[in-house]
Amino acid sequence: MDNAFLSEDPTQTQGSHAAPGSRSGGRLLRQTFIIALVLVSGGLLTSSAGAEERTYPIKIGVLTIGWGPTPATVGLRDGLLKLGYRENEDFVIGVRFTQGDLAALPAAAHDLVQYGVDIIFASTDGAAQAVQQATSQIPIVFAEVNDPLGIGLIQSFARPGGNITGVTDLHLELGPKRLELFREIVPGLKRVLFLYDANHAHAAVEAERYRDAARRLGIELAEKAVRTQEEARAALAQIQRNKIDGILAPYQANLNIPGFILEVASQWAIPTMFNTTFFVEGGGLAQYGPEYYESGRQAARLVDKILKGADPAQIPVEVNAKIEFVINLKVAKALGLTITPEVLYRADRIIR
């Protein structure tokens, strides 16, 4: 792991998963680059009875499919600070990211293991699966994972087993409500495009949830599965504005699909619904989903338990039940949409 430090404010993340467009949005950092975040607080890390001897600062390796430190990573940092851990003396965080490339995760996970990190924080299910396959010894804490039991990360929520525990969220369960809110924001919403990564099993389950919800709501779901970034970009380039009323972004940033959606939607003035606030701040219309910063804060408590000697196998998986509904009112006005006061009142945050 390179000893390179962020020169900018580490709280300014590259987004929950991806940059808004692989060419025009955000600073795209090289796939092989590893950022070490050194973070500050007050208090002293102490070893409790049963905790193994460690060399300080503790090295926490982060693996994400995104473009840099995610909101969950920042939440992890802030959570550790609140617990009294100190920068450089007690811990450092190194981030390994793969810029939307799911296939690059195993090698990135191997890099973290080879570097000799003390704990690995895996952001999203693909990252968690990669680090689980890379090591059976280093403790793993995951976040932004919707179904850890279903994808084989854990044996049970109460006793995860192995060297892993973490924080799950309710993304899939929120799918029907997300589509329902999209219809309320966009009057006359009849045909919605859902573009997703065919290589990822989770995306197929997500598509099924949206398909059922669309049928119930009287919406036609235009599904498109792609396997490469080139296919994703080409599929969106073929959109006919008069045949699509809105676009649903997938849960994860595989193939940079959310970034491409933001590019095309901005160009053609198409309403969009995302699962993370980052893209709404970047020009998307709305977001409804888990608050991933909170997932990181919860994960910090699990890291704390591990550092004090607890076995990850015996630490129950937690659920992040904090949900955000965000509307970009400026984008709505640009699209010619009038959002009712009732819908605006239900929003947790309005970007003006």
Side-chain angles (χ1 to χ4, degrees), residues 15-345:
S16 179
H17 298 299
S22 62
R23 296 178 183 173
S24 62
R27 290 186 305 276
L28 295 189
L29 304 176
R30 288 184 308 150
Q31 215 167 288
T32 57
F33 201 77
I34 297 173
I35 301 175
L37 295 177
V38 185
L39 313 162
V40 138
S41 178
L44 179 65
L45 178 65
T46 58
S47 263
S48 64
E52 62 181 274
E53 292 298 322
R54 297 181 185 274
T55 301
Y56 297 100
I58 298 299
K59 297 188 294 292
I60 302 175
V62 175
L63 181 61
T64 171
I65 199 172
W67 269 249
T70 65
T73 306
V74 177
L76 173 71
R77 184 276 307 269
D78 290 351
L80 290 171
L81 299 183
K82 188 173 182 180
L83 290 168
Y85 293 89
R86 298 179 302 186
E87 177 226 352
N88 231 10
E89 296 180 37
D90 299 330
F91 75 97
V92 291
I93 297 180
V95 183
R96 181 72 167 87
F97 48 90
T98 66
Q99 298 182 333
D101 187 353
L102 189 67
L105 286 170
H110 178 74
D111 288 346
L112 288 175
V113 173
Q114 290 297 108
Y115 180 70
V117 296
D118 299 292
I119 295 177
I120 298 178
F121 178 64
S123 184
T124 72
D125 54 357
Q129 289 174 307
V131 294
Q132 186 182 47
Q133 292 170 8
T135 178
S136 60
Q137 302 299 319
I138 300 172
I140 300 166
V141 176
F142 61 77
E144 298 184 62
V145 173
N146 185 262
D147 184 14
L149 189 61
I151 64 174
L153 284 180
I154 61 174
Q155 298 172 15
S156 73
F157 283 88
R159 294 178 179 273
N163 58 323
I164 192 166
T165 186
V167 181
T168 186
D169 61 55
L170 304 171
H171 174 80
L172 285 179
E173 290 77 5
L174 298 174
K177 185 66 176 180
R178 186 177 298 110
L179 188 56
E180 182 180 330
L181 286 171
F182 200 13
R183 187 181 64 170
E184 291 183 27
I185 294 172
V186 184
L189 187 73
K190 293 295 183 183
R191 194 163 195 262
V192 176
L193 174 66
F194 179 59
L195 187 71
Y196 63 94
D197 180 6
N199 303 302
H200 200 278
H202 181 283
V205 177
E206 187 179 17
E208 182 180 356
R209 297 289 180 93
Y210 280 137
R211 194 180 306 130
D212 293 342
R215 190 179 302 113
R216 177 175 56 83
L217 295 168
I219 294 173
E220 180 184 353
L221 189 69
E223 299 178 41
K224 180 66 175 178
V226 294
R227 294 186 178 278
T228 66
Q229 287 198 19
E230 291 72 22
E231 285 184 17
R233 187 185 285 276
L236 288 166
Q238 295 170 7
I239 287 178
Q240 298 182 38
R241 174 66 182 90
N242 61 341
K243 293 186 178 181
I244 292 291
D245 302 314
I247 305 176
L248 272 172
Y251 170 50
Q252 296 196 344
N254 303 359
L255 311 182
N256 195 28
I257 293 173
F260 292 146
I261 287 173
L262 192 59
E263 280 186 343
V264 171
S266 299
Q267 180 182 358
W268 295 104
I270 301 174
T272 50
M273 175 64 85
F274 291 90
N275 76 300
T276 178
T277 307
F278 171 72
F279 293 103
V280 183
E281 293 172 340
L285 175 60
Q287 173 264 339
Y288 181 71
E291 215 284 27
Y292 293 121
Y293 174 84
E294 179 61 25
S295 293
R297 283 174 59 90
Q298 288 182 231
R301 297 199 297 268
L302 305 183
V303 169
D304 177 54
K305 291 179 180 180
I306 292 169
L307 292 178
K308 291 177 177 176
D311 181 357
Q314 305 299 319
I315 302 175
V317 171
E318 296 188 7
V319 177
N320 174 14
K322 186 173 182 180
I323 310 303
E324 271 197 322
F325 176 33
V326 181
I327 298 173
N328 191 320
L329 199 57
K330 183 178 179 180
V331 172
K333 290 178 179 178
L335 292 171
L337 297 174
T338 300
I339 301 176
T340 65
E342 292 79 10
V343 174
L344 290 174
Y345 178 77

